[in-house]
Amino acid sequence: MPKYKIRAHHAMCLQYFCGNGYSDAFVENMKYISAALNKNPIITVIDYGDDICSECPNYLMNNQCVDQNKVSVYDSKVLQYCSVESGITIHWKDFERAVLQNILSVNKRDMICKDCKWNNLCKKFYHEV
């Protein structure tokens, strides 16, 4: 099975992905990554540009997002709430479960990314319990 690098906060984004994105290439890549992760591969959870970022038009040549400061905070909070460190190797479903249990099901999503440009879309499809 392939091993993917996934930014910590992207585990939340994937829960709400419904085909919208920064560009057609980004959307197609997000669909591809989402489908691949459904097969539960081993991933490395990171706090820098990942396999999803690779097709984002906001991802700069120096391997940083134009919103690097903001997304770094998102990653840091997800890692903290899930009690994992950047660089951990884990099955996707185990990390997804940690995000669901420690963030989404206890209504902490807004504490992490309420200033994200996609926040209104996530709120529309909010499926926290």
Side-chain angles (χ1 to χ4, degrees), residues 9 32-33 40 42 70 82 96 100 106 119 125 129:
H9 84 268
Y32 172 81
I33 297 292
N40 199 26
I42 293 172
K70 184 170 26 174
C82 293
E96 180 183 48
L100 290 169
V106 292
N119 187 46
F125 295 101
V129 292

Side-chain angles (χ1 to χ4, degrees), residues 32-49:
Y32 172 81
I33 297 292
S34 180
L37 293 177
N38 281 330
K39 297 175 183 172
N40 199 26
I42 293 172
I43 64 163
T44 302
V45 179
I46 57 176
D47 58 358
Y48 53 89

Side-chain angles (χ1 to χ4, degrees), residues 21-79:
Y22 300 101
S23 68
D24 290 343
F26 176 85
V27 169
E28 288 307 310
N29 186 53
M30 188 77 149
K31 287 179 185 176
Y32 172 81
I33 297 292
S34 180
L37 293 177
N38 281 330
K39 297 175 183 172
N40 199 26
I42 293 172
I43 64 163
T44 302
V45 179
I46 57 176
D47 58 358
Y48 53 89
D50 67 357
D51 293 323
I52 292 171
C53 296
S54 67
E55 291 297 328
C56 182
N58 293 327
Y59 195 60
L60 304 174
M61 293 298 211
N62 61 354
N63 293 327
Q64 288 200 3
C65 178
V66 295
D67 290 321
Q68 185 63 34
N69 293 335
K70 184 170 26 174
V71 296
S72 289
V73 171
Y74 300 166
D75 290 330
S76 177
K77 287 181 180 180
V78 170
L79 293 169

